[in-house]
Amino acid sequence: AMYWTGYEVTKSYVLVTKGHSNLTFYESFGAGALAGSIAAVLTLPFDVIKTRRQVELGEEITGRLKRSSVSTWKIIFNIYSTEGFRALFTGLPPRLLKVTPSCAIMISTFEYFKRFFASSNNPQISEMEDRFTSQSSSFLMPLHVNKQELPMMMLVSSTVTSPPLSSAEPSPAEVLSKTIA
């Protein structure tokens, strides 16, 4: 919930400040990275507490710990008083190294395919107005591919770039089909 809230707030801010209706690939990538990072920082103390509880349970089961579990607030107080505030954020750098790129990739992929399938299902959506595709990097499939070319496009291993190809140039699917034939 924190991640998606953070993403929607960031997305709204970018859309208002940039004055357009859709995020570009890079904007959604950055918004996802920022939202994931914030959520990771805010939830890390609870993961530290959960890990401490799990270790405590394991020690109780093996007989190394004779006392029963204490409340979450007591665990927080014990960590803070014995190890300091920073101990609640133990493991933050590796967590950010894992969460930030994964959230960025997930949300930018989500936004790309959301727009891709919306334009595939609704022919009234103008591909030329889609800033997401026109500013995306070359590894993404452009939205100007028609439905007959789509299966062939999945096989194309060469780089496909935007803006869309002019009608005089053969599409990558046409080039591939001539090569195979």
Side-chain angles (χ1 to χ4, degrees), residues 94-110:
R95 183 178 175 122
L96 287 175
L97 286 172
K98 174 188 159 240
V99 169
T100 303
S102 66
C103 289
I105 291 167
M106 190 275 299
I107 200 66
S108 56
T109 303
F110 167 77

Side-chain angles (χ1 to χ4, degrees), residues 2-3 6-7 30-41 43 95-96 99-100 103-104:
M2 294 178 107
Y3 170 69
Y7 171 68
L34 180 64
S37 298
I38 291 170
V41 169
T43 59
R95 183 178 175 122
L96 287 175
V99 169
T100 303
C103 289

Side-chain angles (χ1 to χ4, degrees), residues 2-19:
M2 294 178 107
Y3 170 69
W4 286 102
T5 302
Y7 171 68
E8 288 298 328
V9 167
T10 306
K11 177 181 174 181
S12 298
Y13 176 78
V14 170
L15 291 176
V16 167
T17 56
K18 296 287 184 172

Side-chain angles (χ1 to χ4, degrees), residues 49-72 74-75 78:
I49 293 164
K50 176 195 67 155
T51 302
R52 299 276 177 115
R53 283 190 171 277
Q54 289 171 337
V55 169
E56 187 179 272
L57 178 64
E59 289 177 349
E60 284 178 19
I61 291 172
T62 60
R64 287 193 260 162
L65 183 67
K66 299 294 181 196
R67 63 187 168 96
S68 61
S69 297
V70 294
S71 73
T72 300
K74 286 184 180 179
I75 293 173
N78 286 340

